[in-house]
Amino acid sequence: MKNNSLLSVFVAIFLSLSLLAPAIGVQAQDDEPANEALLTLIDGMTPEERVGQLFLVSFDGASVDDESQIAALLADYPVGGVMLRADRGNFALPDPNALQQLVIDLQRKNWEAARVERLDPVSGEPFQPEYLPLWVGLSLDEATGSAENALSGLSVLPSPMAIGATWQPDLAANVGESLGSELAALGINLYLGPALDVVSDPMPASSGDMGVSAFGGNPYWVSQMGTAFIRGLRSGSDGKLLLVATHFPGRGSADRAPNEELATVRKPLAELQNADLTPFAAAVNSMDGIDGLLVSHIRYEGFQGTIRPTTRPLSLDEKSLSDLLTNAPFADWRANGGLLVSDDLGTPAIRSFYSPGNENFYATLIARDAFLAGNDLLYMGNIISSDAPDNYTSVRRTLDFFAQKYREDSAFAARVDAALLRILAKKEALYPNFSLYAATHPQGFDEIGTHAQAVFDVAQRSATLINPSLNDLDALLPNPPGVKEQIFFLTDVQPASQCPLCGSIFGLQRNSLRDAVLRLYGLGGAQEVREGNLSTYTFDDLPSLYIESDEFGMLDSLQAAEWVVISLGGNQQIDALRQFLNDFQPLLREKKVILYTFTTPYLLDATDISKFTAYYAIYSYAPPFLDVAARLLFKELTPEGASPVDISGSGYELDTVLQPDPDQYLTLGLALPLEPPPTPAADSATLAPTMIPMFSVGDTLSVRTGTIYDYNGNPVPDGTLATFTLTMSGESGINQRIEAQTVSGVAQADFQLSEIGLLDIRVSSGNATVSETLRLDISDDGIAAAITIIPPALLPQSTSTPTIEMTPTPTSIPSAYVQDGKIRFGAWGVSLLLWLLGSLLAYMAGERIESRRWGVRWALTTLLGGLIAYNYLALNLPGATIVTADGLSGVIIAIVFAEILGWLAGWLWLRGALE
C-alpha cells in the first residue's frame, strides 16, 4: 500500500501552503479552487514518483528494447519525459513510420513500468505506481542542426528569418500549423520552440550570432510572427503539443554561442523589458498562450544595476529569474500554471562554469541549483558527472538524490509538489484521465510530408532584393540568361545531417541551384537553357583558379561565362569570397555577377555588395527556396520580401524603414463601434436606414486613422506616434494637439466639443503629413451637425505647408472614362459618336443656311466644344463628378450641351471677326 506515514501528511500541508507562497512560485487564484483531483493524485504518489516527473532525460540509439538503458530507466524511475536528439542517434530511422513507432514504444514502456508492483524504498511495503504519460519532445535545432531542415520524410520548413522576411503573420501561422500537425501525427507532444529572440544588433563575426534562427530584429514584429507561429502550432496539433518558447529572456544580443561557453548579454533590466522580453510577454499574454518558457544559460551584465554587475546563468540564478517573473504579464502567467523549463544542463558551457578544470562536476548539484532557481522541468541532456561513467548513471544518481532530499527537506518537498502540480495540470490538458490510448494513437499520419505549399508561399514572399533597388534592376538586368549564354555556378556547400549515423545529407550541394535551373528551364522545363552551358564549382575548388594545370577547367569556364551565380550558405567562406572578388575583379566586371545568400543578409559590407550586379537574400536552402532563386534568375518572379534585420552594408535600418512612409495618404474616420448592427427580423419588409452620427456642443468626438503604413508597406509597429491636430474658426480659435500610439497600425483620439464654429481635424505620423480633414460645422442654433471628410486635394493650399507630390491612390474618385485604371470603352464610344454626329449636323445646317464654307466652320466649332467637354470629364476636373453622377446619360447631356455652346460661340465669334 501507499506510504501513509505522518511525513506524507506533513508534506501535504506544505503543498497547500505552497499554493499561496510567491517564493515557491505558485499563487492560488482567488476565483478558482485548486484542482482537487490532481492534489489527491499527488498525495498518493511516492517521493520517487514525484521527483521523477521533474526530469526530461535523453538516451542513446533509436530502440526501446528491454536491453536498452532507456527501458531500464523507465522501469525504475517514472521520469516526466524524454527528449529526442540527433547527437544521441535517436533519428537513425528510415522513415516517419519508424519515428512514430519509437514514440509509441516509449509511451508503452512507461505504461508497462507503471503496471509492475514496486516496494517502497523506506517502508518496504508494496505499492502500485501511478501511470502518467511521458512528454516526448524535440527541438528542431537539436534534431536537424538547423530549424529549417526536415527530419527524414517530414515536410521541409522555412527558416524563422525567411518567415520574418514575408512580414505576413498569416504565413507564419500556416507554417506553424504544418509543423504542429506533423509533430502531433508522430506522437510528439512537447516542442521546444519557437525561438523568440530579437536580433536588434546583428553580429556576423560573433559566434553568438543566431543566423536565420530568429524571426527578426524588431520586438513588435518578432512578437507578431512568434505568436502567429504558436497559434498555428496549437491549431495544427489540435492542442496536443506542450509549447515551450526559447530562449527566455532572449539571446539575440549574446556575445557568443551559449552551448560551448556561457554567453553574456550587456543590457539592464529596463532595456530587456523594452526589447528582448517583448515577444515573450506577447506569447504568454496571447489567446493561444505559450505553455512554458525555456530559461537560457545566459549571464546578464548590468541586469541589477551596480549591486551585482554580472548575474549567474539565469537558469541557475533564483534572484534574477524571480525579478523577471514578478513583472507583468509573467507574474499572472506563472500563477496560472506557466511552466519554466531549464535549458540543457549537459552543455559544455555549464560544465566549464561549475568545473573549469573539468573536475568535481556533479549532475546532482547542477540539477538542484536549476530547480531551486525556479525551473519546473529539468532538461538533463547529455550530462555526465565526473564520478559517473555515463549519462544514464548520472541521471539515476540525480533522481535518487532528489528523492532523498524530498524526504529530508520539507521546504524542498513543497517546491517539488508545487512544480509537480503545474506539470500534471499540463499533462492532464493533453491527456484527460491520463489515457494510454490517446498517448499511443496519434492522428493525422497521412498528412506528414504534404505541406509543400505553405513552404513555397514563404519562399516566394520572403525573397529580398538587397541591391540594387527594384527600379534599377531592369536597367542592369533587362533580360534573363539566354539559351546560348553560359552560366558559372559557385556554391558554398552546407551539410545538414539529422544524426551522426545517418550519413551526410547536404542541404546546399554543388549542383543544387543548377539542378533547380535545369528542372524549371532546361529540356524538361521551359527549354531556355542548355545543360552544357552550365558549369558548377564549390568554394573548395577556388584554389584551382591559381594553378596553371587546372584539371577542373574552372578558369576556362569562368572566362567563357556571361553569368556568374554565387550561392552563399554560411559565414565560413566570406574571406574566400572576398579574395575571389578582388583577384578576378577585372574579369568579373565584364559579367553579370549574381549573389544569393541562403543565410543571413548582413554578412557583407558596402564594398563587397558594390561588386555584384544583383544581391538577393533567400534565407533558406530548402528546395522551394532554391526554386525561387532560379525563378528570380530568369525574371519569372519579382522579389516581394524585405529584410527583417538591419543590413549595415546596404544602409538598411529597421528603425528607419518601420517609420511611417511619407508618401502615403493618411485617412481619418469616426471611431464608431465595430460590432455589426442588429440583424433585422426575417419578416421585415424593409431595412432600417443607416444612422448618420450627429454632433453638437458637449459631445465627445472619437476619431481614428486608417491603417498607417511603413516604408515596406506594412502596418507600423504598435506604439508609433500619431499626432491629431484640431483647429476651430470660432471665437477662441482653439488649436489642440493630441498624441496617440498606434495599435495594429491604427491610432485613435478623443476630442471634447466645447464651442461652436467650424472644426477641422487632421493627423500626421512621423514624416507622413498628408491626411484627410475631418470637418464639423457646429452652428449656434443648436442643430446637431454631421461630419464631412475632405480629401487633401480639395483643401486650399497653405503657403506654410510644403507641397508633397502624392501618387494617385485607390481612394481617388474614378473619372467618366477611366475606372480602376481601365478605359471605359462604352463612355468613350458614345462620346466619339456624339462628336461625329454633332459635327455632321452642324455642317449640314451651315451649308444649307449659309454656305459650304460656313458648314465647315460650324462643324469645327461644334467638334471643339465636344472635345472640351470630353477632356473636362476625362481629367475629372472640379464639378465633373456632379455631371457624371447619373452615369452615361449625364455624359451624353454634357457633350451635347457643350457642342451647342461650341457652335454658338464659334458662330458669334466668327461672324463678328469677319464683319
Side-chain angles (χ1 to χ4, degrees):
M1 57 184 296
K2 296 283 186 175
N3 184 356
N4 293 317
S5 65
L6 292 176
L7 176 63
S8 65
V9 176
F10 184 67
V11 169
I13 295 174
F14 267 92
L15 171 60
S16 301
L17 293 175
S18 71
L19 296 174
L20 300 173
I24 297 175
V26 178
Q27 291 179 328
Q29 294 293 308
D30 294 335
D31 56 350
E32 294 184 11
N35 191 321
E36 295 296 337
L38 290 180
L39 289 174
T40 302
L41 174 66
I42 293 172
D43 187 53
M45 295 171 65
T46 65
E48 284 75 16
E49 291 178 284
R50 300 186 193 200
V51 300
Q53 289 298 308
L54 308 181
F55 288 85
L56 294 174
V57 302
S58 56
F59 65 100
D60 291 325
S63 173
V64 195
D65 56 43
D66 292 338
E67 288 71 34
S68 64
Q69 288 184 337
I70 186 61
L73 186 67
L74 292 176
D76 295 335
Y77 299 91
V79 297
V82 176
M83 291 297 298
L84 302 180
R85 297 167 58 107
D87 61 356
R88 304 294 295 269
N90 300 147
F91 300 105
L93 298 164
D95 52 42
N97 288 279
L99 181 55
Q100 184 194 61
Q101 190 58 52
L102 173 64
V103 175
I104 292 174
D105 290 345
L106 285 167
Q107 294 286 11
R108 285 196 176 277
K109 283 293 183 185
N110 181 53
W111 179 80
E112 291 170 0
R115 299 303 91 199
V116 177
E117 191 175 65
R118 304 185 187 186
L119 296 178
D120 185 282
V122 176
S123 67
E125 297 182 4
F127 70 93
Q128 189 71 42
E130 297 288 350
Y131 166 66
L132 299 171
L134 283 172
W135 299 123
V136 182
L138 58 76
S139 163
L140 283 183
D141 286 341
E142 292 178 350
T144 66
S146 60
E148 71 269 24
N149 291 317
L151 297 171
S152 178
L154 273 65
S155 299
V156 297
L157 291 176
S159 68
M161 189 168 288
I163 297 173
T166 68
W167 302 87
Q168 300 293 321
D170 286 346
L171 294 181
N174 291 343
V175 175
E177 185 172 358
S178 300
L179 176 61
S181 67
E182 298 196 9
L183 292 180
L186 292 170
I188 301 295
N189 57 20
L190 166 60
Y191 177 60
L192 300 186
L196 298 181
D197 307 284
V198 179
V199 185
S200 55
D201 185 19
M203 299 177 290
S206 169
S207 63
D209 187 73
M210 293 193 63
V212 293
S213 296
F215 287 114
N218 177 264
Y220 170 79
W221 278 104
V222 172
S223 302
Q224 292 291 299
M225 294 299 177
T227 54
F229 194 86
I230 292 167
R231 183 173 67 249
L233 284 167
R234 192 80 71 193
S235 172
S237 66
D238 195 24
K240 299 302 183 184
L241 272 178
L242 185 82
L243 302 178
V244 180
T246 61
H247 308 85
F248 182 78
R251 66 176 184 90
S253 302
D255 60 353
R256 67 200 63 210
N259 56 333
E260 295 296 330
E261 184 179 357
L262 287 179
T264 301
V265 171
R266 292 174 174 83
K267 285 186 178 181
L269 180 57
E271 190 173 345
L272 283 174
Q273 291 172 329
N274 292 331
D276 300 66
L277 281 172
T278 300
F280 294 98
V284 303
N285 213 24
S286 66
M287 184 176 298
D288 299 289
I290 203 76
D291 297 302
L293 297 173
L294 185 83
V295 184
S296 61
H297 301 319
I298 295 181
R299 295 181 295 186
Y300 289 85
E301 188 172 296
F303 182 83
Q304 298 172 341
T306 58
I307 299 175
R308 294 175 60 192
T310 304
T311 68
R312 286 165 54 86
L314 193 66
S315 57
L316 306 168
D317 191 329
E318 180 181 9
K319 176 64 169 64
S320 298
L321 185 56
S322 176
D323 287 346
L324 285 178
L325 296 176
T326 55
N327 294 286
F330 300 107
D332 289 342
W333 171 81
R334 182 71 169 148
N336 288 322
L339 290 177
L340 295 181
V341 183
S342 77
D343 205 344
D344 182 355
L345 297 176
T347 62
I350 292 295
R351 190 177 192 94
S352 63
F353 176 74
Y354 273 88
S355 178
N358 203 26
E359 296 178 358
N360 301 323
F361 178 77
Y362 300 107
T364 54
L365 300 182
I366 283 77
R368 181 203 62 184
D369 289 353
F371 178 67
L372 294 179
N375 296 288
D376 302 304
L377 280 169
L378 306 175
Y379 180 15
M380 300 299 284
N382 195 24
I383 194 168
I384 302 176
S385 296
S386 55
D387 61 347
D390 53 23
N391 172 248
Y392 169 75
T393 306
S394 300
V395 170
R396 289 183 66 100
R397 291 177 180 175
T398 304
L399 288 164
D400 290 337
F401 170 80
F402 266 63
Q404 180 180 352
K405 190 166 182 61
Y406 183 96
R407 290 186 171 91
E408 297 173 351
D409 187 338
S410 59
F412 184 84
R415 282 179 176 264
V416 169
D417 291 336
L420 179 60
L421 181 61
R422 285 188 285 268
I423 293 168
L424 295 187
K426 296 298 184 183
K427 285 194 174 184
E428 187 181 46
L430 264 64
Y431 303 110
N433 302 318
F434 301 128
S435 165
L436 170 67
Y437 181 87
T440 55
H441 289 78
Q443 304 297 314
F445 188 82
D446 292 342
E447 296 184 7
I448 289 179
T450 64
H451 298 97
Q453 186 59 50
V455 183
F456 183 78
D457 289 343
V458 172
Q460 185 172 348
R461 297 294 295 273
S462 64
T464 303
L465 177 64
I466 297 176
N467 192 65
S469 67
L470 194 58
N471 293 333
D472 294 335
L473 183 64
D474 285 338
L476 293 171
L477 295 174
N479 300 303
V483 67
K484 295 183 179 180
E485 291 185 309
Q486 298 194 35
I487 307 176
F488 178 95
F489 290 96
L490 180 63
T491 303
D492 175 19
V493 172
Q494 294 294 313
S497 177
Q498 68 184 40
C499 68
L501 305 177
C502 299
S504 294
I505 300 175
F506 289 98
L508 185 61
Q509 304 178 46
R510 171 194 293 266
N511 295 328
S512 291
L513 186 53
R514 186 208 65 168
D515 290 348
V517 168
L518 286 175
R519 183 173 61 256
L520 296 171
Y521 302 102
L523 291 178
Q527 300 185 9
E528 296 181 34
V529 295
R530 297 173 181 170
E531 184 174 358
N533 289 338
L534 310 182
S535 56
T536 60
Y537 300 92
T538 72
F539 276 79
D540 291 338
D541 298 327
L542 285 176
S544 64
L545 288 174
Y546 303 90
I547 302 174
E548 293 185 5
S549 57
D550 179 9
E551 58 180 316
F552 299 107
M554 190 174 185
L555 183 57
D556 292 339
S557 298
L558 180 60
Q559 291 172 336
E562 287 84 6
W563 295 75
V564 176
V565 179
I566 303 173
S567 298
L568 194 61
N571 60 3
Q572 300 89 353
Q573 300 288 358
I574 294 298
D575 291 339
L577 174 62
R578 286 176 174 146
Q579 183 176 354
F580 171 70
L581 295 173
N582 290 333
D583 293 349
F584 294 92
Q585 190 172 4
L587 179 60
L588 295 174
R589 281 203 195 100
E590 304 170 1
K591 307 178 186 303
K592 301 175 182 69
V593 184
I594 313 298
L595 176 66
Y596 293 112
T597 175
F598 293 93
T599 180
T600 55
Y602 47 73
L603 299 177
L604 303 178
D605 58 31
T607 302
D608 299 327
I609 294 174
S610 68
K611 296 175 182 178
F612 299 103
T613 311
Y615 176 24
Y616 295 93
I618 309 296
Y619 307 104
S620 172
Y621 41 75
F625 290 83
L626 290 165
D627 285 355
V628 165
R631 294 178 191 276
L632 289 171
L633 181 63
F634 283 82
K635 300 180 73 68
E636 184 180 333
L637 290 180
T638 299
E640 301 180 39
S643 174
V645 290
D646 290 349
I647 307 175
S648 60
S650 66
Y652 179 90
E653 296 180 353
L654 286 182
D655 287 344
T656 299
V657 299
L658 296 184
Q659 293 298 312
D661 184 356
D663 291 334
Q664 67 186 303
Y665 168 8
L666 301 179
T667 59
L668 283 171
L670 297 178
L672 299 175
L674 298 179
E675 293 80 6
T679 304
D683 58 352
S684 297
T686 58
L687 295 176
T690 302
M691 298 299 294
I692 300 176
M694 307 293 284
F695 298 91
S696 56
V697 172
D699 291 340
T700 298
L701 180 62
S702 296
V703 182
R704 67 166 165 240
T705 68
T707 302
I708 302 174
Y709 296 97
D710 63 21
Y711 282 84
N712 285 333
N714 303 306
V716 294
D718 285 1
T720 301
L721 287 181
T723 302
F724 295 84
T725 303
L726 179 149
T727 57
M728 290 195 69
S729 60
E731 294 180 1
S732 63
I734 295 176
N735 192 324
Q736 296 184 38
R737 290 168 59 89
I738 297 179
E739 287 190 341
Q741 295 184 349
T742 59
V743 176
S744 299
V746 176
Q748 179 174 328
D750 295 333
F751 292 93
Q752 191 70 31
L753 305 180
S754 58
E755 293 191 13
I756 61 173
L758 187 66
L759 175 153
D760 283 347
I761 296 177
R762 298 182 180 87
V763 68
S764 63
S765 183
N767 292 328
T769 58
V770 179
S771 85
E772 293 177 332
T773 295
L774 193 149
R775 176 167 291 176
L776 181 65
D777 190 358
I778 306 176
S779 61
D780 57 359
D781 54 12
I783 300 177
I787 290 291
T788 303
I789 295 179
I790 306 173
L794 301 183
L795 294 172
Q797 296 295 324
S798 171
T799 57
S800 62
T801 302
T803 301
I804 299 180
E805 183 179 350
M806 294 293 295
T807 303
T809 68
T811 58
S812 63
I813 303 174
S815 75
Y817 299 98
V818 178
Q819 186 170 14
D820 297 332
K822 299 180 180 179
I823 297 176
R824 301 173 66 180
F825 285 100
W828 180 81
V830 168
S831 300
L832 180 62
L833 290 175
L834 289 175
W835 299 338
L836 297 176
L837 181 60
S839 299
L840 179 61
L841 292 175
Y843 172 78
M844 294 172 62
E847 182 184 33
R848 177 169 295 187
I849 297 173
E850 297 284 350
S851 64
R852 179 174 294 178
R853 177 175 295 178
W854 274 101
V856 173
R857 291 171 179 168
W858 284 12
L860 291 175
T861 56
T862 301
L863 180 62
L864 180 61
L867 285 172
I868 292 173
Y870 167 80
N871 283 284
Y872 196 93
L873 297 178
L875 295 175
N876 206 23
L877 296 175
T881 55
I882 299 176
V883 175
T884 60
D886 294 330
L888 193 58
S889 60
V891 175
I892 295 173
I893 294 172
I895 291 180
V896 171
F897 184 70
E899 287 182 330
I900 294 173
L901 288 179
W903 166 77
L904 181 61
W907 181 75
L908 292 174
W909 178 75
L910 287 171
R911 177 71 68 185
L914 294 174
E915 291 179 355

